[in-house]
């Protein structure tokens, strides 16, 4: 307490505390690792702080091949883990890219349990068979795409994918059909940076006066050059009916250094935000933190830099088993995000993505976690927990199902303002179901029967 505050406290000795003061040691959301202990990774033992804090160094030393990644870890983890991960990569639909920063945040003394390892390094021993109803592009983004890389599903908003690369590749990516290089498992639909394709997307957006809101995603806007950010911003802001632009990037969670050292990129984003403000249009950044360990002192400094420039940052998390599927971890994540000026906006129940069954949780887990998070901080900093309805229903409040059978794990949703009259179905992971549900899914003849039962109950208005 400063002396003037101490004097003030002395003046009002008659304040009767209704609650005992909270022990500051329990305010864990404020306790950040300033800079991760990167030198404990043998490959980085001679790296200087200045190098580690520079985005060029981080980008140049990001690892893009499983064998190189595992080589960098060889002295830190067991041979059994290396073998497990080698086999995991050969069965994964996603490419590999991890920054030294990300590797430094992982607890290599217990890599099987670490929540960041879980998100980025697949292990064969943890993999489960895909759900029989699962497919790539479960959200049917390509079906709602009038131009390659532009999805127009909701009336007033569209999703523009200007490129197909990211500063990191996440095991659980919804766009694993397009993002990153081809893998042994998947040959992808590529959305390369292509002026002609971009021009077509802008022409479509200009031709649709109902569009007000454009999400610029990818891939990842971190990988756009400063002049490309300006080019996209200028083109979209010049369209009269566009009122809002969201620039989506996972970068702050995996390489916050860029915001502190890539002045050109940050200036470009700032210029688009300011140009938008003068035109009374909102331009914001959307990002993607999933676990409180992803937020360090470097993140705080990076977010403060955007905050000083008046840039709003919102977060969209994905709920994942063993990562953030408990009330304690999710509460800490939400509070920590608020602490570094990032608004927790959505928590998605994990999409039906190939090769990620071990990461998915049930809808009922999401509902329970939401119940515990709501009320732990201000409402505007409390995320909405949603299911992105497979088949193109868009985001539905997790608890807004028409019908949910916890035995078969089938939940049914409606999206009257997106696709009126249609029912959308989400499937809980089979290994999390009670025995009766697992037995029914083991019999292919039961699959359609279970689905029809659930749809019939939804139509009859039976929630359970
Ligand atoms: S950063 Fe986003 S788009 Fe890129 S791999 Fe991860 S989830 Fe997918």
């Amino acid at each position: 307490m400063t002396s003037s505050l101490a004097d003030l406290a002395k003046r009002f000795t008659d304040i009767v505390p209704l609650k005992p003061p909270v022990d500051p040691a329990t305010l864990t959301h404020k306790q950040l690792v300033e800079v991760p202990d990167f030198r404990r990774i043998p490959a980085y033992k001679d790296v200087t702080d200045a190098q580690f804090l520079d985005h060029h160094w981080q980008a140049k030393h990001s690892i893009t091949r499983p064998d190189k990644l595992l080589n960098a870890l060889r002295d830190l983890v067991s041979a059994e883990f290396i073998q497990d991960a080698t086999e995991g990569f050969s069965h994964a639909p996603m490419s590999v890219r991890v920054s030294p920063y990300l590797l430094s945040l992982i607890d290599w003394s217990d890599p099987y349990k670490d929540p960041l390892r879980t998100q980025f390094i697949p292990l064969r021993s943890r993999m489960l068979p895909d759900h029989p109803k699962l497919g790539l592009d479960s959200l049917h983004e390509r079906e709602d795409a009038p131009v390659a890389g532009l999805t127009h599903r909701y009336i007033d908003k569209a999703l523009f994918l200007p490129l197909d690369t990211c500063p990191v590749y996440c095991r659980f990516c919804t766009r694993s059909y397009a993002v990153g290089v081809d893998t042994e498992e998947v040959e992808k639909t590529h959305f390369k940076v292509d002026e002609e394709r971009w021009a077509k997307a802008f022409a479509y957006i200009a031709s649709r006066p109902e569009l007000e809101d454009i999400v610029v995603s990818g891939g990842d806007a971190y990988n756009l050059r400063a002049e490309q950010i300006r080019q996209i911003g200028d083109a979209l802001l010049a369209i009269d009916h566009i009122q809002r632009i969201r620039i989506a990037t996972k970068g702050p969670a995996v390489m916050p250094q860029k915001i502190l050292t890539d002045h050109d990129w940050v200036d470009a984003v700032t210029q688009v935000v300011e140009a938008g403000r003068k035109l009374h249009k909102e331009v914001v950044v959307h990002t993607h933190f999933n676990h409180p360990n992803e937020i360090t002192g470097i993140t705080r400094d990076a977010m403060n830099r955007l905050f000083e420039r008046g840039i709003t940052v919102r977060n969209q998390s994905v709920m994942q088993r063993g990562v953030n599927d408990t009330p304690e971890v999710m509460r800490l994540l939400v509070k920590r995000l608020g602490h570094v000026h990032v608004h927790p906006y959505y928590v998605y129940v994990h999409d039906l993505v190939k090769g990620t069954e071990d990461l998915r949780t049930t809808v009922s887990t999401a509902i329970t976690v939401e119940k515990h998070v709501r009320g732990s901080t201000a409402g505007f900093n409390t995320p909405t927990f949603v299911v992105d309805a497979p088949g193109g229903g868009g985001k539905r409040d997790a608890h807004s199902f028409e019908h949910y059978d916890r035995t078969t794990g089938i939940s049914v949703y409606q999206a009257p303002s997106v696709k009126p009259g249609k029912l959308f179905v989400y499937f809980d992971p089979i290994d999390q179901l009670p025995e009766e549900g697992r037995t029914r899914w083991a019999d292919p003849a039961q699959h359609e029967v279970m689905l029809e039962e659930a749809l019939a109950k939804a139509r009859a208005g039976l929630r359970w």
Side-chain angles (χ1 to χ4, degrees), residues 23-145:
D23 175 0
T26 64
L27 301 175
T28 47
H29 63 283
K30 298 185 183 188
Q31 295 157 14
L32 306 180
V33 168
E34 282 301 316
V35 176
D37 181 11
F38 57 90
R39 291 193 194 92
R40 91 206 131 92
I41 296 181
Y44 310 140
K45 72 178 176 2
D46 298 322
V47 171
T48 64
D49 282 5
Q51 285 173 313
F52 190 79
L53 294 173
D54 177 44
H55 78 280
H56 283 303
W57 186 88
Q58 288 287 335
K60 193 166 162 216
H61 291 85
S62 288
I63 300 180
T64 55
R65 278 189 15 212
D67 55 332
K68 287 202 170 170
L69 170 64
L70 297 173
N71 261 338
L73 302 177
R74 223 161 265 284
D75 294 334
L76 279 175
V77 291
S78 65
E80 176 208 1
F81 178 87
I82 296 279
Q83 185 56 27
D84 208 349
T86 306
E87 289 175 28
F89 277 120
S90 71
H91 285 82
M94 273 311 282
S95 326
V96 186
R97 182 186 290 273
V98 281
S99 61
Y101 172 74
L102 197 54
L103 284 184
S104 310
L105 290 174
I106 293 174
D107 176 6
W108 293 107
S109 66
D110 196 1
Y112 278 94
K113 291 219 185 92
D114 187 274
L116 274 71
R117 192 288 303 156
T118 304
Q119 295 178 65
F120 302 103
I121 302 179
L123 297 178
R124 184 75 180 111
S125 64
R126 298 296 190 265
M127 287 181 173
L128 294 168
D130 287 337
H131 194 287
K133 295 289 180 188
L134 173 151
L136 287 179
D137 186 18
S138 69
L139 307 180
H140 291 215
E141 286 182 341
R142 284 173 288 189
E143 275 177 22
D144 287 323

